[in-house]
Amino acid sequence: MHQNRLRIFVSSVIALAICLSLSHITTAAEKYELKVVTDRPDAIYKTGETARFLISLTKDGKPATGEKVTYTVDDFIGGAPGFPKGTLTLGVGPAEISVTADKPGFLRCVVQAGDKKKVTKIAGAAFSPLEIGLSQPVPDDFDQFWADQKKQLAEVPAKTKLTQVDQANPKLECYDVQVDCLGGAPVSGYLAKPKDAQPKSLPAILWVHGAGVRSSSLLNAVKGANDGMLSMDINAHGIPNGKPAQFYKDLSQGELSGYRHAGRESRETVYFRGMFLRLVRAIDFLTAQPEWDGKTVIVIGHSQGGGQALVAGGIDDRVTFIATGVPAICDHSGRAAGRINGWPKLVNTLPDGKPNPTQLKAAQYVDSVNFATRCKADGIMSVGFIDGVCPPSSCYAAYNQLTGKKQVINKPLMGHAAPADIHKAFFDAVREHVKQQAKKK
């Protein structure tokens, strides 16, 4: 009995010591909290107005007075001259950094605190974002080039292979789909639809992918079908679906390594040409299904998928709605206008600060912004004001060209992300569009 009590006592002491240790770790982790925001919740200003970045730092929940922070303001081009930078000693209230812009665009403030373990926070400010225009005119032969590409595509028979795929919902039927295409790879995706759907009863939705090398998503296909749609998710590369992870890893490190820059010296060889033609062929396939309602085609994606959604809306007038999250493939010629270009940085910047002319010429034909000028579909877009991958100026360059009914979700403190609230807002907007389309005869 005595030994049992002793063991219990020792165990209790050890448990208490562990708790105290964890408490100490937690306290250490929460010691400093850095916060950077703008003086307006929406972080939107007119050109020429003053924006104030407010910086505060707490230590154990109390203002860290006397502590120093370093800061840099730029236009998303690192080391940009003419913008404030330096060191501030913090007082009781937030420190302020005042900035302005003489042309439409975005500025960001990057702040660091701490000596040994740096803590970094970023805030962004928009200046007349709805006035951001094209960085270069659309090429005169842009429409003719893509008309020729679509003509070549139409000459390729849309030979299709369907393989039934198991999934949990007995009310749906799902297939792995391969459709022959122009551009070196087929359309490859998953199709899901409600069983026994009547002819001409289903709106169509096409899910497209962000950057990387992966299988198509059965979950996305099923999500649309569960909502009463003819739903297809395609991967970006026309590669087989449902393979082991190593298969895609090998591709990403091998054949598809650096795909985003492949062939960028010519509009005929640039990688995105094939990707964009697969969008058209996927829409061909969906609209050929007897269940399609004959009037509704939705394209949805984030990042590279967001760029593809913009392209789909501009290259194919069957598209009635696009949901484009933090879109990539935008504003390749941004540096020609003195602003940052978006992912995939398709055009190199030369030592003199000017874009590579050969790459620049080719890139204009695969710039989602230029497709946006042709897009008449309704749409929704998300923009992160501190997104360093798909900078907000490149997103707005596209958004401002859209002529359909549109809305934008601005996220002042969001980087390159697609959080749950954005996914919900997008799908709510999709549902509303389907509802409105159903009213049309």
Side-chain angles (χ1 to χ4, degrees), residues 50-386:
T50 298
R52 294 177 177 84
F53 291 109
L54 308 178
I55 303 168
S56 56
L57 181 68
T58 59
K59 179 180 179 181
D60 296 331
K62 298 178 182 179
T65 56
E67 297 278 350
K68 295 182 184 296
V69 296
T70 60
Y71 67 92
T72 302
V73 176
D74 66 19
D75 56 359
F76 288 78
I77 301 175
F83 295 103
K85 63 179 180 179
T87 301
L88 290 173
T89 301
L90 300 177
V92 177
E96 295 186 5
I97 300 170
S98 297
V99 297
T100 189
D102 58 4
K103 62 181 180 180
F106 287 78
L107 298 179
R108 65 180 174 184
C109 182
V110 182
V111 181
Q112 283 194 329
D115 295 324
K116 294 180 181 179
K117 188 175 180 180
K118 297 288 186 183
V119 179
T120 302
K121 291 289 183 179
I122 307 173
F127 293 86
S128 300
L130 294 174
E131 296 177 17
I132 295 173
L134 297 174
S135 51
Q136 281 200 331
V138 180
D140 291 339
D141 62 347
F142 181 85
D143 295 319
Q144 186 60 55
F145 173 75
W146 282 105
D148 290 344
Q149 300 303 305
K150 291 167 70 175
K151 182 179 179 181
Q152 294 176 44
L153 174 63
E155 293 170 356
V156 177
K159 183 180 177 182
T160 302
K161 180 182 178 182
L162 295 176
T163 305
Q164 193 153 9
V165 175
D166 293 332
Q167 50 77 46
N169 188 345
K171 296 181 179 180
L172 303 181
E173 52 184 294
C174 298
Y175 300 90
D176 184 306
V177 181
Q178 309 286 309
V179 188
D180 285 355
C181 190
L182 183 70
V187 170
S188 180
Y190 288 118
L191 171 71
K193 58 184 177 179
K195 284 183 178 178
D196 304 322
Q198 296 300 306
K200 298 185 178 181
S201 66
L202 301 180
I205 184 168
L206 178 66
W207 307 77
V208 286
H209 284 207
V213 180
R214 66 185 73 86
S215 169
S216 302
S217 169
L218 183 59
L219 289 177
N220 279 343
V222 167
K223 180 177 180 177
N226 277 330
D227 223 66
M229 289 182 268
L230 188 64
S231 179
M232 187 177 186
D233 181 283
I234 62 172
N235 66 65
H237 308 290
I239 55 179
N241 300 308
K243 298 293 185 181
Q246 189 63 44
F247 174 84
Y248 301 105
K249 183 178 180 180
D250 290 345
L251 272 179
S252 67
Q253 295 176 348
E255 181 183 342
L256 292 175
S257 175
Y259 72 85
R260 62 192 184 276
H261 291 158
R264 60 178 169 174
E265 305 298 325
S266 166
R267 65 185 186 178
E268 300 286 350
T269 59
V270 64
Y271 187 82
F272 293 100
R273 168 182 169 269
M275 188 184 293
F276 295 172
L277 289 172
R278 287 191 287 276
L279 295 172
V280 177
R281 183 48 52 102
I283 295 169
D284 288 341
F285 171 79
L286 282 170
T287 57
Q289 302 308 301
E291 299 90 349
W292 181 51
D293 67 7
K295 57 186 176 182
T296 308
V297 176
I298 298 154
V299 183
I300 181 170
H302 297 267
S303 191
Q304 179 183 263
Q308 290 182 81
L310 288 164
V311 171
I315 201 173
D316 198 317
D317 59 12
R318 291 172 291 186
V319 176
T320 58
F321 189 84
I322 60 172
T324 169
V326 288
I329 330 177
C330 285
D331 211 19
H332 299 313
S333 54
R335 293 301 291 266
R339 63 185 186 230
I340 192 67
N341 46 345
W343 186 96
K345 302 291 190 280
L346 196 59
V347 181
N348 279 333
T349 302
L350 300 176
D352 62 2
K354 295 181 180 179
N356 179 299
T358 302
Q359 295 170 357
L360 180 63
K361 184 177 180 180
Q364 289 182 287
Y365 294 87
V366 290
D367 195 321
S368 296
V369 172
N370 290 341
F371 287 95
T373 66
R374 272 65 176 164
C375 180
K376 297 180 176 61
D378 295 341
I380 185 171
M381 180 183 289
S382 66
V383 181
F385 283 15
I386 61 172

